[in-house]
Amino acid sequence: MRLAGPVFRRPARRPRMGRRRAGTMIYVTAIGDGEARAHWIDRETVVWTVDPSLTHALAFAPAGGIACHDGRLTGHAVTVPLTPGELDDARRRAWPHLAGGTALKLRREDAGRVKEALRGQVVAVARDGSGAVAAATGVQIPGVLDDVYAGAVRAGLGPSGRLLPRLALWAPTARRVELALGGRRHAMRLDEETGVWSIRGLPTWYGKDYTYRVTVYSPAAGRVVTSEVTDPYSLATAPDGVRSRLVSLDDPALKPPGWDRLAKPVPVPLDRAVIYELHVRDFSASDATVPEELRGTYAAFGHDGDGMRELRALAADGLTHVHLLPVFDLATIPERRSDRTEPGCDLAALPPDSERQQEIVALTADRDSFNWGYDPQHYTVPEGSYATDPDERIREFRAMVAALNEAGLRVVMDVVYNHAHSADVLDPIVPGYYHRLLEDGSLATSTCCANTAPEHAMMGRLVVDSVRTWARQYKVDGFRFDLMGHHPKANILAVRAALDALTPERDGVDGRSIILYGEGWSFGEVAGDARFDQATQANMAGTGIGTFDDRLRDAVRGGGPFDADPRVQGYGSGLAGAPNGAPANGSEEQQRERLRHCTELVMLGLTGGLRDYVLPSGRAGSQVGHNGAAAGYAARPDDVVSYVDAHDNETLFDALVYKLPAGTPMADRVRMQVLSLATVLLGQGAAFVHAGSERLRSKSLDRNSYDSGDWFNRLLWDCSAGNGFGAGLPPRADNEAAWPYARPLLADPALRPGCAEIGAARAAFGELLRIRASTPAFALGTAEEVRRRLSFPAGGEGVIVMRVDTAGLDPRWDAVVVVLNPTPSPCTRAPGVPPGRRVALHPVQAASADEVVRRSSYDPAAGTLTVPARTAAVFVINAENSS
């Protein structure tokens, strides 16, 4: 999902062919105008914006068919009166978006009708003094379901059991549920207290495919329907997710050798983590050192190819985690290789600025092997297209985790519970419940697709249970929540609590070592805590659950993700002394003012985005602005995930292609790439890097490569193949407006780096990793320590000097001093070193292959540091008692 923010709306994504599934789509239908504006929030309260002079009631019809003709209601079996009242404070807090409505109360004697009413059509009715119908609307029922079936949050769901399997489905509004397995239908039993239907089976059921046949009133159809659906708690599926498959994840056949004895790399807290964002298919699809049948699969991580050798080298340098883009069962890639079609043309033979590559890629985009994967179908099943055979997905996924752990890397999953590819997995089971509806009863789609509603108890529980399964059964070490701001804060904290309860003795994993972070953007129907306290940047402060810091990203890159002119410059892209002449950058005075602001945002990012850190300007982080919000929002360093590029938007290299002056030599582009990455790696908080940024990865200027095929998403471990730049004009749908800027750049051979430049970038990145790992200076741990030890002496004109006092933390050095010089000229600054102290370039940079950084020096007579142009240099001040 697009890493934009803080206020964001994702652009509409091109429709892509999904897998065929049974079931109904969710369109709440009521009599008359098709709306559902009444909300039944608990067993005694309905909220509806009404005329108080009217009388109100709920009408029920077990099989549907309620209609209104000439002011008369027909087709209903029962009507119960409603009495106007006030929403009390507790209900206003629980349902803030309904706080302006009228509370309509059911009589106590009608409490016994609630469960049966919920199994049919429910309509809210208002009548005038003559008894004629003045208004009628459908009723949204999630609140009353959560109240009446509150015990369901503790009931067993999905597949369970060892010798004798048990299957359980929460479907409280269903009239009948049958299990379809082995060519037979088996009746399931309803627990009236919880609304859970269950059945106990035989050992012979394991390995068989199954579905549920749910008979339920459907507001979309206006009648009772029977839908055949998969299990929302599926642990395995048939290829393409068309049926669930009954398995026990404890089955030895589903475990790679040594799985139960897997040794984990030493855990690190979030603020010490260095996270590498990687797509499973990108990792090996273009790697000729991997056998063709393994390319693009989980199994490639178990092969000693160029990619795994590079991951081991990065781990040795200091990388701690690999973050995998979505690897749950997704809807938009055919899982059998024989059902997929790849582009059949030699794309490399076409001109670097041609339109033909993107045209050819688009022809097979709906049937090829590539998609970012933000299209969830089954939340707790590994994606089958990444397996050599979809039936081997569980074992091969586990083997991938083991291979990465053995390489010294912990594994993070990108999870997407805020929406589903479509509503036809969840909605047919409990119509109108699992997906968030707007005030009029229409489906909310602000995420891109069918928004889910984790504020509802059983959707929230599904999130917690799914994450817990990935942690226990797949030994996943971290979770990144897509569009986390669409979750309640309480839901994400419940995930944290569930993980913290996992112990090595009982569960085989230490849940407290699992890191959590996500996108804390606020937009759509939930924006501004409209429906609940969101899991947004500001709200998550103090929890240690990280959120992406778009302030640092925008300051370093320049502009924002949706600029009409992509040449707006920032701290790391030429704003400090290398103007590109684009009118979008404004006047010289405007550029100077923006440089001051961007520099302050970078300094704030280096503190971990702390809201109460006082910057050299005298302003606290919370007093610095960014897009109408406080730039500083973190209460502690692990509240922030720092980054300058990710899978969304142009890669860092591509952004610098647009923004640096056209004639900038490639060697200087490499230096600015490294300096930009240094703002992430040399600051407090988690450091997050897009795979390939350390080797100048390009997507040929594609700003949204989610469905751009392998071609535009290549991750090239062999530098002789280049870095991906000049692969043709990026796909028209999301990039055509930028083609006039892109075309001459893609045609310029000077913008295609060779092995020397790619190697230089990778070497410098490795040095930054080793520097970060060498000292506690970049992981001070608490806001108090950051405020006490970190300062910004002697900066100005774009140059940042950051000093971190390490006395008492590091016996070798009393302080570490970072100088970021993004300007095209050497800089000299005085960091306030006491006379007689020994100051030296950090040992890693003193031995660097980069002769430019080695020229960084300290003049003891003047007490000044001198750093070359476009350079990030790190100095150490030796402890008084060290030699």
Side-chain angles (χ1 to χ4, degrees):
M1 294 307 172
R2 184 164 305 284
L3 290 174
V7 178
F8 161 73
R9 183 178 178 87
R10 185 199 323 274
R13 289 164 55 173
R14 302 196 300 276
R16 178 163 182 168
M17 189 185 310
R19 300 170 187 162
R20 293 187 59 195
R21 298 191 45 77
T24 58
M25 290 297 292
I26 176 169
Y27 298 101
V28 175
T29 305
I31 61 174
D33 58 10
E35 295 181 338
R37 294 187 174 275
H39 303 258
W40 197 349
I41 63 171
D42 57 46
R43 69 187 71 203
E44 62 182 47
T45 311
V46 175
V47 180
W48 189 16
T49 302
V50 295
D51 181 343
S53 68
L54 303 176
T55 59
H56 305 90
L58 288 180
F60 309 139
I66 298 177
C68 185
H69 299 287
D70 298 326
R72 292 186 307 108
L73 201 67
T74 62
H76 59 291
V78 176
T79 300
V80 299
L82 299 171
T83 304
E86 293 289 331
L87 274 180
D88 59 28
D89 289 343
R91 289 181 172 90
R92 287 176 186 274
R93 287 193 299 270
W95 302 87
H97 65 297
L98 303 179
T102 301
L104 303 171
K105 296 292 185 175
L106 278 78
R107 301 175 305 183
R108 289 191 177 184
E109 57 263 38
D110 291 322
R113 301 178 184 271
V114 172
K115 286 187 177 180
E116 186 55 34
L118 290 170
R119 295 190 178 110
Q121 185 182 16
V122 183
V123 172
V125 184
R127 290 185 170 89
D128 62 21
S130 70
V133 174
T137 187
V139 179
Q140 298 185 34
I141 61 173
V144 66
L145 288 176
D146 284 344
D147 181 29
V148 172
Y149 296 101
V153 297
R154 296 178 296 276
L157 294 174
S160 62
R162 290 185 178 271
L163 179 62
L164 298 178
R166 178 180 182 268
L167 289 161
L169 179 73
W170 187 67
T173 62
R175 295 176 168 276
R176 182 175 65 254
V177 178
E178 296 175 310
L179 172 70
L181 180 146
R184 295 182 56 195
R185 297 181 191 171
H186 307 266
M188 300 180 71
R189 179 178 298 176
L190 173 65
D191 180 337
E192 287 283 357
E193 289 300 309
T194 63
V196 173
W197 300 76
S198 64
I199 188 171
R200 181 75 69 177
L202 301 171
T204 54
W205 285 13
Y206 282 115
K208 288 184 166 58
D209 294 347
Y210 70 96
T211 55
Y212 296 118
R213 289 176 55 85
V214 179
T215 300
V216 65
Y217 174 76
S218 165
R223 57 186 174 83
V224 175
V225 300
T226 297
S227 300
E228 187 165 3
V229 297
T230 53
D231 191 341
Y233 275 76
S234 294
L235 298 176
T237 66
D240 292 334
V242 294
R243 290 177 299 280
S244 300
R245 180 166 293 168
L246 182 57
V247 298
S248 168
L249 295 179
D250 295 322
D251 185 345
L254 300 179
K255 300 177 181 180
W259 178 250
D260 291 331
R261 301 182 304 279
L262 179 64
K264 286 281 181 184
V266 176
V268 297
L270 182 58
D271 67 308
R272 286 182 51 203
V274 183
I275 304 164
Y276 192 73
E277 185 196 39
L278 181 64
H279 188 285
V280 165
R281 185 160 179 86
D282 291 355
F283 171 68
S284 59
S286 302
D287 188 351
T289 65
V290 173
E292 186 174 1
E293 65 274 14
L294 302 184
R295 292 177 199 165
T297 71
Y298 305 128
F301 290 87
H303 181 79
D304 188 29
D306 284 349
M308 276 310 296
R309 286 191 286 271
E310 179 59 14
L311 288 185
R312 284 194 292 271
L314 287 166
D317 285 338
L319 192 71
T320 64
H321 291 74
V322 165
H323 161 141
L324 298 173
L325 266 70
V327 285
F328 48 73
D329 180 50
L330 53 105
T332 46
I333 302 175
E335 290 194 333
R336 294 184 181 92
R337 189 170 298 193
S338 59
D339 293 335
R340 304 198 291 263
T341 303
E342 312 299 339
C345 179
D346 182 5
L347 300 176
L350 296 170
D353 59 342
S354 171
E355 298 180 23
R356 286 289 295 142
Q357 293 96 326
Q358 59 90 30
E359 290 173 352
I360 293 166
V361 167
L363 291 175
T364 58
D366 287 344
R367 303 180 304 281
D368 69 5
S369 301
F370 186 86
N371 195 280
W372 279 349
Y374 293 91
D375 303 299
Q377 182 167 239
H378 296 99
Y379 292 117
T380 322
V381 178
E383 166 58 16
S385 70
Y386 298 148
T388 58
D389 178 334
D391 291 341
E392 296 295 321
R393 67 180 82 201
I394 295 172
R395 186 179 58 81
E396 291 186 3
F397 185 104
R398 286 169 158 172
M400 172 188 66
V401 172
L404 286 167
N405 286 174
E406 289 161 5
L409 295 163
R410 295 171 75 86
V411 178
V412 175
M413 269 186 71
D414 198 327
V415 290
V416 186
Y417 297 107
N418 64 83
H419 71 267
H421 175 67
S422 72
D424 61 358
V425 173
L426 296 172
D427 192 64
I429 300 169
V430 191
Y433 180 84
Y434 280 105
H435 293 276
R436 185 177 301 122
L437 306 179
L438 300 177
E439 281 74 3
D440 63 356
S442 60
L443 175 64
T445 58
S446 56
T447 60
C448 75
C449 313
N451 293 9
T452 58
E455 65 271 28
H456 301 160
M458 297 305 283
M459 182 63 215
R461 180 191 163 178
L462 176 57
V463 173
V464 174
D465 289 348
S466 177
V467 170
R468 189 173 182 273
T469 298
W470 286 113
R472 289 186 71 249
Q473 296 290 356
Y474 292 92
K475 304 186 181 183
V476 172
D477 305 296
F479 298 90
R480 176 267 195 190
F481 284 84
D482 179 69
L483 299 185
M484 189 169 71
H486 267 53
H487 288 255
K489 176 181 179 180
N491 180 230
I492 303 301
L493 292 179
V495 170
R496 178 74 273 169
L499 294 175
D500 287 347
L502 300 179
T503 66
E505 297 76 19
R506 185 181 63 247
D507 305 291
V509 296
D510 178 4
R512 293 169 300 176
S513 71
I514 294 172
I515 63 173
L516 298 180
Y517 56 97
E519 294 180 298
W521 321 136
S522 180
F523 67 97
E525 73 284 352
V526 299
D529 300 329
R531 294 185 175 226
F532 44 76
D533 288 340
Q534 300 166 262
T536 50
Q537 290 171 323
N539 287 352
M540 297 307 291
T543 66
I545 298 170
T547 55
F548 286 97
D549 181 9
D550 55 318
R551 284 77 159 152
L552 178 69
R553 177 203 67 193
D554 290 350
V556 172
R557 290 168 68 100
F562 310 119
D563 293 336
D565 185 336
R567 298 174 296 173
V568 179
Q569 292 180 288
Y571 183 85
S573 60
L575 187 58
N580 60 23
N585 285 300
S587 67
E588 289 186 12
E589 178 55 36
Q590 288 172 323
Q591 291 178 53
R592 283 193 294 271
E593 178 55 36
R594 200 165 75 252
L595 175 60
R596 284 192 291 270
H597 183 60
C598 287
T599 302
E600 193 165 42
L601 289 176
V602 172
M603 286 192 288
L604 181 60
L606 291 168
T607 75
L610 294 178
R611 63 193 179 198
D612 58 359
Y613 184 92
V614 179
L615 295 157
S617 66
R619 298 192 296 175
S622 61
Q623 296 172 316
V624 178
H626 177 74
N627 290 344
Y633 63 85
R636 45 195 261 193
D638 56 1
D639 289 335
V640 158
V641 177
S642 296
Y643 73 112
V644 291
D645 72 342
H647 66 278
D648 279 307
N649 310 314
E650 296 89 351
T651 67
L652 178 59
F653 178 87
D654 286 344
L656 296 182
V657 166
Y658 274 134
K659 296 171 187 294
L660 287 172
T664 305
M666 183 55 64
D668 286 343
R669 292 180 180 276
V670 172
R671 305 199 69 76
M672 295 305 284
Q673 178 103 1
V674 172
L675 184 140
S676 296
L677 292 169
T679 66
V680 171
L681 293 170
L682 301 180
Q684 307 297 311
F688 181 95
V689 180
H690 183 42
S693 283
E694 78 287 356
R695 53 198 311 110
L696 308 179
R697 183 183 184 182
S698 170
K699 296 182 182 179
S700 204
L701 305 178
D702 192 350
R703 64 177 294 272
N704 188 17
S705 68
Y706 82 95
D707 200 16
S708 300
D710 290 334
W711 178 248
F712 287 100
N713 286 284
R714 286 174 299 164
L715 178 54
L716 300 167
W717 304 114
D718 180 359
C719 64
S720 67
N723 71 333
F725 190 76
L729 285 165
R732 182 186 303 273
D734 291 302
N735 300 278
E736 186 176 16
W739 279 5
Y741 303 105
R743 197 184 299 269
L745 297 170
L746 292 169
D748 185 353
L751 293 175
R752 292 196 286 275
C755 281
E757 293 87 2
I758 292 171
R762 168 62 182 91
F765 179 79
E767 291 170 4
L768 292 173
L769 286 177
R770 295 198 296 279
I771 290 169
R772 180 181 172 95
S774 73
T775 169
F778 306 114
L780 295 175
T782 68
E784 292 75 15
E785 281 289 87
V786 175
R787 288 192 298 269
R788 185 165 74 90
R789 294 179 178 274
L790 192 153
S791 60
F792 295 101
E797 298 178 357
V799 175
I800 293 176
V801 179
M802 179 180 72
R803 173 175 170 148
V804 184
D805 294 325
T806 54
L809 299 178
D810 190 329
R812 301 163 300 167
W813 305 318
D814 275 352
V816 175
V817 179
V818 175
V819 181
L820 300 176
N821 179 13
T823 75
S825 303
C827 71
T828 299
R829 295 290 187 275
V833 179
R837 301 300 295 278
R838 182 170 178 269
V839 180
L841 197 60
H842 191 287
V844 169
Q845 288 188 326
S848 174
D850 176 13
E851 61 90 16
V852 176
V853 78
R854 293 202 313 269
R855 294 204 301 265
S856 304
S857 62
Y858 174 66
D859 181 347
T864 57
L865 300 171
T866 298
V867 174
R870 303 183 177 96
T871 296
V874 182
F875 296 86
V876 294
I877 302 175
N878 281 25
E880 286 190 88
N881 60 353
S882 66
S883 57

